[in-house]
Amino acid sequence: MEIRPVRYDHPDAVTLDALVQQEYVQRYGDGDMTPLDPGMFTPPHGTYLIAYDGARPLASGGWRRQEDAAEGYAAGDAEIKRMFVVAEARGRGLARRILAALEADARAAGCSRMVLETGIKQPEALELYASSGYAPVEKFGLYRTYDDSRCMAKSLVAAD
């Protein structure tokens, strides 16, 4: 298994994004309406990763710098987006490996906190994040007013 950075508009990223959107439709009745563009995931403002088994893309995830206080973000925030593992590759630790790589990359880019938004109909995501040190925080972003939205964060700075 190899994890490598790609552009968010890379064909494999587009394919995985379409699959995650289908998953959102199945679980919530609609896709994610968050506006995203490839520039948001371009270093040093973010990165987008895909886990490959040979040439086959199996999992993805990215982070983008988000510091818009009007939407509830704070200075130094890196927001996780598009974490996804294809159904047949779940349970192999790919999401956890991508998450760790995203955290390391955001920390190296000078970010101080990793934040994310997920939903109550994604219990496996909630468990992954909680078991990786993420805790509930005040809601932020596009879905901050939705009842089934959950926002979580984890410090990227070592405690003194």
Side-chain angles (χ1 to χ4, degrees):
M1 203 65 52
E2 178 188 8
I3 296 175
R4 31 184 215 254
V6 300
R7 284 189 45 87
Y8 183 64
D9 57 358
H10 182 282
D12 293 337
V14 171
T15 297
L16 290 174
D17 190 59
L19 291 173
V20 75
Q21 291 295 339
Q22 289 175 7
E23 184 103 8
Y24 295 149
V25 169
Q26 289 173 357
R27 293 184 188 217
Y28 298 100
D30 203 357
D32 184 351
M33 298 177 290
T34 305
L36 299 176
D37 71 69
M40 293 175 172
F41 300 100
T42 303
H45 307 291
T47 198
Y48 192 79
L49 304 174
I50 293 182
Y52 287 91
D53 184 5
R56 183 158 184 247
L58 297 179
S60 64
W63 73 267
R64 63 181 181 156
R65 193 174 300 272
Q66 285 289 89
E67 299 181 340
D68 185 354
E71 288 203 12
Y73 297 99
D77 278 356
E79 182 183 27
I80 296 171
K81 295 301 294 178
R82 297 300 189 261
M83 286 287 293
F84 179 71
V85 179
V86 298
E88 59 273 18
R90 291 177 184 165
R92 294 165 53 183
L94 294 176
R96 194 169 300 280
R97 288 179 56 196
I98 286 180
L99 182 60
L102 293 173
E103 290 172 355
D105 190 73
R107 186 180 299 108
C111 295
S112 56
R113 183 173 81 147
M114 210 68 160
V115 300
L116 63 96
E117 185 275 331
T118 190
I120 61 173
K121 295 181 181 178
Q122 294 170 266
E124 57 284 285
L126 290 166
E127 171 56 32
L128 167 70
Y129 297 128
S131 69
S132 298
Y134 287 77
V137 294
E138 187 172 333
K139 290 184 177 182
F140 55 82
L142 181 66
Y143 292 99
R144 66 188 174 275
T145 61
Y146 287 63
D147 290 338
D148 58 358
S149 170
R150 298 293 180 267
C151 292
M152 304 176 84
K154 177 181 178 179
S155 176
L156 296 176
V157 180
D160 293 332

